Every structure is written in C-alpha cells, then in structure tokens.
Amino acid sequence: MSKEVIVIGGGIIGLCSAYYLQKEGHTVTVIDKSNMDAGASYVNAGYLSPSHIVPLSAPGVMKKGLRWMLNSASPLYIKPRFNSELLEWARAFNRSCNANHVTKAIPAIKKISLLSQDLYDDIKNESGFTFHYEKKGLLMLCQTEKMLKEEVKAAELAKKEGLDVREVGLDELRKLEPNVEFNVMGATYYLCDSHTTPNEFMRDMKAHLHASGVKFFSNETVEDIHVKQGRIISIQTSKQPIAGDEFVLAAGSWSNGLSKKLGLKLLLQAGKGYRINTEIPTGITTPAILAEAKVAVTPMNGFTRFAGTMEIAGINEAINKVRVNAIANAATRYYPNIKLSEEEKSMAASGLRPVSPDGLPYIGRSNKCDNLTIATGHAMMGWSMGTATGKLVSEIVSAQKYSMDIQFFHPDRIF
Ligand SMILES: Cc1cc2nc3c(=O)[nH]c(=O)nc-3n(C[C@H](O)[C@H](O)[C@H](O)COP(=O)(O)OP(=O)(O)OC[C@H]3O[C@@H](n4cnc5c(N)ncnc54)[C@H](O)[C@@H]3O)c2cc1C
C-alpha cells in the first residue's frame, strides 16, 4: 500500500531511504535544514569498504583514546566536558569495547557492507547515474613493524570472513603505484573494497529523486514532532506543519536531539572529521589508509582527497587548524613527494559523523513510536552502508521481508 513518507535529513542515509521508498511506490518528501551540499555526506573519503568489519568499539580503543586525548593532533579526540549525555555515551562505548561484542558485530557489519556494495553496483547501472565509482581495493600503508603486524592480523581475520585481502611488499606496491613515492614498511591490500566521488553520487541521486517526483524542502528545519497515542501525526518545520503516514529519522548527528521529542534516548555523539582536496596530480590511483596516522587517501574524479580525524566535541563544525595540519603532515610523511599547500589547507571542510557507542548503526523502529523508522549512527561507515540502509528502511516501512537480520541495529538496544 502506498504511503505518504516524510524523510527528515537529506544526507546519504536520507537520500538512499527516499530512493528505495519511491521505488516501492510511496509518496516521499525529504526535509533538510541545510542547502544539501555540505557535511559528512560530501566530505567523506568515499570508501565502500567491507574491509572495515571490526566495529569502532573494539578492545584497546578506549585506552588508546584516553592516551590520544592528551595530544591535540591525534586522530581521535574526545573534548573533556561535563555533559551527562557524553558520559553516558562514553560508558556505553567502554562497555562495548570487548571481544564478545566484536565477534557478534562482525557478521552484521560485513553483511550490510556487502549488500550495500551490490546495491551501489545496481544504481551505477541505472540510466542517469554517471558518478565516479571504481573497484581498485584499499591499501593499509604501514610505517612501523608494530602497525604492520596489527594490520596483517586484521587481514587474517578478514580473510577468515571470506574477504579478498593479502599482504603486499614494497616491490608489489611500486608496481601497483608506479608514479608514487612511498615512505612505508609494507601494506595489506583489501581487493574487496571500492571507492566513489561522494559529491557526484549525491548530485546524481538528488537529480534522480527530483525527476521521480520526490518532494524536497531544503533550508527548512524540523523543530518539533507531534505524537498521539504512540504515532507521529505531523512535524513542525521552521516554515510549516507537515503531516504523513510514516516518518524516517535520518538527521545524522542531530538525530538524538529530535528523538528526545518522542521520549526516545538515542545515545549518539558527533564525530568531526576533515577533508583536504588537491587538484595537483599526485599519481595516486589506489585508495589508501595511512595506518598509524588514520588518514584516508582517495583518488577521486579530478582530485585527490585526504580525510581524517575523529573529534568528539559536540555539534561543532568549526575547522581546527591543528588537526587539518596533522592530516597534511601525515600525507607528506607517507608520500614524501606530496605537500599540501596553505591554500589547499585553508579550503579544508568538516563533517559530523553520527557515532553510536557500539560501532553499529541504529536501523529500525523504536517501541516508543509505531510509524517512525530510525536510520542513523553509522559513524565512519555511513557511506559504505548507505544504500543497504535505505533499502532496509523501505522494507520496514513497506512491511516487507528484510534483506538481512537487523536485530543488532535495534534503536532500543541496551549497551
Ligand atoms: C572526514 C570523513 C570521512 C569519512 N569517510 C567515510 C568513508 O570513506 N566511508 C564511509 O562509509 N563513511 C565515511 N564517513 C562517514 C559518513 O560520511 C557518514 O557516516 C555519513 O555521511 C552520515 O550520513 P547521514 O545521512 O547519516 O548524515 P549527514 O550526512 O550528516 O546528513 C544528515 C542531514 O540531516 C539534516 N538535518 C539535521 N537536523 C535536521 C533537522 N532538525 N531538520 C532538517 N534536517 C536536519 C542535516 O542538515 C544533514 O544534511 C566519513 C565521514 C567524515 C566526516
């Protein structure tokens, strides 16, 4: 049965939800408080990476995070502040940093990432979708023996999970990237991964949705949600009340602010990251993660992107120059011939990742509301999981059989 569906948020998750909902025959409206041309879904590294099967909350991460907190240029930073939501989130994160959780989470992360990759393939084959999309794998470049050992261990785990990955020595690396000078000890190479140019995908998706009759209200903020007997009747935006049969909460890092209006506590923190682009040819053709520095490098269409840092400092999109410099310096440490200019650094942009405490997204209905589907909390994997999340949202709204088991993504789960 066709329904009137209102999607709150027009990032990758909101747009992919709108895409599959519209395909299912629903009437869809997307509302976004921004101009829909910036933020996490535009600044990300563009990886579709089934390789990243281990959740963010893994053994040892909390300890490393606490150590990094003392270093203003470290890849992970939690701004110390007395905030009860942050404390609750940190407690839940800490509780999730255990081997048992990792073992349970891996199959769910792998399944949703692989499903998503297949769905990107399908979309790429549709007419009108010309976005840059390549399957060239992902290198984990290591400068130290310690890190290489850790990465080889991670690769063994991924291999056991059936993913295509192997260790590569310097000779093979040089053959793979003949026009790049490296300062590394070695690498692992995930052939299962692919990459995109995010703003091109977002451009094509918005054009497709417009042409398919999806309504857009941009620069319009959802300010309130009206609920009656466990169902949303309407929402109030900065401009008008909007009624609907079904609602999708895909407001990224802002989602918990809105869920509070339903009495639903969604543990979520914004994790700020930055990107620097350079249009000067770098010779890089294979995406890479600079393993010690946690910087992602992506050859996109017409430019190379360097992206990184995870700064848990509330809803705050300000550019921290120390962190931007840390990304640029890491680039030169691994690729001695690459020097990002002051101008390129001054054009750095930020985005907020919606980070759940256990490294798994929230996808599903809360018991608090019958006609709301929540789709957020994807943290560092929102681009990789975007299409599958949209498909699952559509299956939930349409009361269809789900493409995969979603019990681990339940928005009411206890940490
Ligand atoms: C530097 C960086 C690199 C990354 N690299 C990768 C990568 O390589 N691969 C990967 O898988 N993931 C990556 N990610 C993560 C990924 O980008 C995010 O998980 C994803 O973009 C989140 O999408 P979203 O739609 O949930 O949120 P967003 O893109 O933030 O979209 C949410 C939207 O909701 C709107 N909104 C919020 N509140 C309201 C309101 N009240 N009313 C109306 N609209 C509202 C916002 O304006 C926004 O447009 C990266 C992120 C960053 C920052």
Side-chain angles (χ1 to χ4, degrees):
M1 195 181 71
S2 169
K3 295 175 180 172
E4 187 85 36
V5 188
I6 312 297
V7 179
I8 306 172
I12 179 75
I13 303 299
L15 292 193
C16 287
S17 300
Y19 171 81
Y20 288 104
L21 285 162
Q22 188 277 331
K23 250 185 189 289
E24 235 9 89
H26 300 295
T27 304
V28 185
T29 302
V30 176
I31 305 170
D32 199 290
K33 69 183 176 65
S34 75
N35 207 27
M36 295 179 66
D37 57 3
S41 297
Y42 293 83
V43 306
N44 67 76
Y47 295 167
L48 308 177
S49 44
S51 58
H52 281 51
I53 47 171
V54 175
L56 182 62
S57 49
V61 172
M62 197 68 184
K63 213 167 115 196
K64 211 182 262 180
L66 289 173
R67 203 166 358 106
W68 273 339
M69 270 173 73
L70 304 171
N71 176 357
S72 62
S74 63
L76 171 68
Y77 175 67
I78 302 177
K79 188 178 173 190
R81 66 210 137 101
F82 288 105
N83 173 303
S84 60
E85 279 177 35
L86 173 65
L87 286 175
E88 204 172 330
W89 179 90
R91 264 199 298 270
F93 183 83
N94 192 32
R95 273 199 292 270
S96 307
C97 287
N98 66 73
N100 190 27
H101 169 65
V102 171
T103 307
K104 278 192 193 153
I106 283 177
I109 295 177
K110 187 177 79 176
K111 177 89 189 167
I112 190 170
S113 306
L114 288 172
L115 172 62
S116 227
Q117 212 181 28
D118 286 348
L119 296 171
Y120 272 103
D121 286 350
D122 293 347
I123 293 175
K124 177 66 183 168
N125 287 329
E126 256 184 65
S127 91
F129 284 93
T130 59
F131 66 96
H132 165 236
Y133 179 30
E134 279 186 87
K135 287 198 176 167
K136 297 212 65 177
L138 173 71
L139 288 163
M140 301 296 297
L141 297 176
C142 302
Q143 288 191 315
T144 59
E145 211 162 308
K146 183 170 174 267
M147 184 51 80
L148 189 56
K149 254 192 197 158
E150 269 180 41
E151 286 303 332
V152 168
K153 207 169 143 201
E156 275 160 13
L157 177 67
K159 208 171 193 171
K160 267 197 209 135
E161 288 293 325
L163 298 172
D164 192 359
V165 52
R166 62 166 195 267
E167 189 178 352
V168 291
L170 290 180
D171 284 346
E172 197 182 341
L173 204 54
R174 281 188 203 109
K175 273 192 205 134
L176 203 61
E177 290 286 44
N179 300 315
V180 180
E181 195 188 323
F182 290 103
N183 177 19
V184 299
M185 272 203 73
T188 53
Y189 185 24
Y190 289 86
L191 289 101
C192 51
D193 285 12
S194 39
H195 70 284
T196 57
T197 298
N199 54 314
E200 293 191 356
F201 179 83
M202 295 298 279
R203 174 202 64 201
D204 291 357
M205 187 51 97
K206 282 184 284 189
H208 169 87
L209 294 175
H210 271 294
S212 310
V214 169
K215 259 188 275 165
F216 281 89
F217 294 121
S218 54
N219 298 306
E220 194 161 332
T221 306
V222 175
E223 294 177 338
D224 209 354
I225 301 179
H226 300 127
V227 185
K228 205 170 168 188
Q229 289 166 343
R231 285 184 73 77
I232 301 179
I233 307 301
S234 65
I235 53 172
Q236 178 64 45
T237 76
S238 43
K239 295 185 182 160
Q240 56 186 323
I242 299 177
D245 303 315
E246 289 277 348
F247 295 80
V248 178
L249 180 56
S253 297
W254 296 264
S255 301
N256 53 339
L258 285 169
S259 73
K260 269 187 216 152
K261 297 186 188 292
L262 301 162
L264 167 65
K265 191 189 263 179
L266 213 52
L267 288 186
L268 199 71
Q269 288 292 316
K272 187 165 45 176
Y274 304 95
R275 67 100 179 105
I276 313 171
N277 293 339
T278 180
E279 287 178 17
I280 294 171
T282 56
I284 297 169
T285 61
T286 309
I289 289 182
L290 315 181
E292 290 86 355
K294 309 271 177 276
V295 167
V297 184
T298 320
M300 295 194 179
N301 193 12
F303 59 96
T304 307
R305 172 164 293 178
F306 298 84
T309 87
M310 171 74 91
E311 207 177 314
I312 309 272
I315 299 279
N316 160 7
E317 289 163 286
I319 307 279
N320 178 331
K321 283 192 180 156
V322 174
R323 275 164 207 289
V324 171
N325 278 331
I327 295 172
N329 293 342
T332 307
R333 278 203 308 282
Y334 286 72
Y335 304 101
N337 284 351
I338 294 176
K339 288 202 172 36
L340 295 168
S341 70
E342 288 307 318
E343 194 192 345
E344 285 161 344
K345 286 191 271 179
S346 73
M347 308 271 281
S350 70
L352 300 177
R353 309 172 182 91
V355 188
S356 72
D358 63 354
L360 295 174
Y362 296 111
I363 307 171
R365 289 200 196 274
S366 162
N367 294 330
K368 290 238 155 75
C369 188
D370 292 344
N371 61 342
L372 174 72
T373 303
I374 293 166
T376 188
H378 297 75
M380 299 150 78
M381 296 290 286
W383 195 255
S384 289
M385 297 176 178
T387 46
T389 301
K391 178 132 184 66
L392 289 165
V393 165
S394 169
E395 289 165 352
I396 293 166
V397 170
S398 313
Q400 291 168 342
K401 187 171 181 289
Y402 304 153
S403 297
M404 64 174 285
D405 183 359
I406 58 169
Q407 58 157 329
F408 287 113
F409 306 149
H410 202 294
D412 295 340
R413 64 185 180 271
I414 310 242
F415 300 99

